Amino acid sequence: MSGFLDRAKEQAQSALNQGKQKVDEVQQQRAGNDLLKRLGAAYYAERRGTGTPEGTQAALTALESHITAHGDGFLRG
């Protein structure tokens, strides 16, 4: 009986870890999408004369940092 419980516990832990990993992936995708949206908004504002090149560069830098840390998978939506 102990072996059965140990295997069940291992399977439950494995499922929990997979669930946590999936949640992390979704959160990283959302963060990447938000940064991409910020870059687009900053660029648009700059082109309209209400934004600055510095604002666009800051948004680009934040997006590049996210891509370096988490990859660019969110770009393939």
Side-chain angles (χ1 to χ4, degrees):
M1 187 68 152
S2 176
F4 172 75
L5 292 176
D6 288 340
R7 279 183 269 138
K9 182 178 176 182
E10 287 175 14
Q11 288 177 345
Q13 187 63 43
S14 175
L16 181 63
N17 289 341
Q18 288 175 350
K20 286 180 183 179
Q21 183 178 2
K22 186 62 177 173
V23 167
D24 288 345
E25 289 173 12
V26 169
Q27 288 175 338
Q28 291 169 8
Q29 286 181 341
R30 284 183 182 164
N33 288 333
D34 288 345
L35 290 169
L36 191 57
K37 185 176 178 181
R38 272 186 36 202
L39 175 59
Y43 178 76
Y44 180 76
E46 181 183 349
R47 297 291 291 178
R48 298 245 1 220
T50 58
T52 64
E54 293 81 12
T56 303
Q57 184 59 49
L60 179 60
T61 300
L63 179 63
E64 288 174 337
S65 294
H66 179 81
I67 290 172
T68 299
H70 305 290
D72 64 355
F74 68 95
L75 294 173
R76 295 181 197 89

